[in-house]
């Protein structure tokens, strides 16, 4: 029972870090696309996904979490949905302000 607050603190910290990093990425992407004229949103997305993969690979090697088996069909479906979601998010970011993007 003594470890419950510590666990909750870790979860809250992870959620905060997730939101903070997402907002930071959106702000940087919007600045690159509007202020600097960077036209390659797909390239930007692939760089972010590659960095996420590398970071998670290092975290797995350092035993921050445990690898669990999942059916390949589930992984493929998740990958397709994730790719479509990222595409629509980039499209939204290209046409809307950062504030509207974050609210939606």
């Amino acid at each position: 029972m003594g470890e419950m607050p510590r666990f909750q603190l870790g979860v809250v910290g992870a959620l905060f870090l997730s939101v903070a990093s997402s907002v930071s990425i959106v702000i940087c992407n919007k600045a690159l696309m509007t202020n600097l004229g960077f036209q390659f949103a797909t390239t930007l997305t692939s760089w972010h996904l590659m960095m996420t993969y590398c970071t998670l690979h290092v975290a797995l090697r350092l035993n921050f979490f445990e690898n669990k088996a999942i059916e390949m069909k589930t992984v493929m479906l998740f990958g397709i949905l994730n790719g479509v979601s990222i595409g629509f998010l980039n499209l939204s970011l290209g046409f809307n302000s950062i504030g509207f993007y974050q609210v939606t």
Side-chain angles (χ1 to χ4, degrees):
M1 191 158 145
E3 291 189 33
M4 192 59 131
R6 185 174 169 190
F7 171 74
Q8 289 175 348
L9 182 62
V11 170
V12 170
L15 288 172
F16 175 77
L17 184 61
S18 176
V19 170
S21 64
S22 295
V23 170
S24 299
I25 287 171
V26 168
I27 290 170
C28 290
N29 286 353
K30 188 66 173 181
L32 281 170
M33 287 189 256
T34 57
N35 298 339
L36 301 177
F38 191 81
Q39 299 290 323
F40 309 104
T42 305
T43 302
L44 218 54
T45 300
S46 65
W47 290 344
H48 293 309
L49 291 174
M50 190 176 355
M51 287 304 300
T52 300
Y53 171 79
C54 292
T55 303
L56 288 173
H57 185 70
V58 168
L60 178 63
R61 294 288 181 193
L62 295 174
N63 295 322
F64 285 131
F65 59 88
E66 181 181 323
N67 194 12
K68 296 183 180 179
I70 301 175
E71 290 182 29
M72 184 55 77
K73 181 180 175 183
T74 305
V75 172
M76 294 300 291
L77 181 61
F78 178 76
I80 290 168
L81 290 174
N82 192 32
V84 169
S85 170
I86 290 171
F88 280 125
L89 289 173
N90 281 336
L91 190 63
S92 173
L93 186 58
F95 288 105
N96 299 309
S97 68
I98 293 175
F100 181 78
Y101 173 84
Q102 289 175 339
V103 168
T104 58

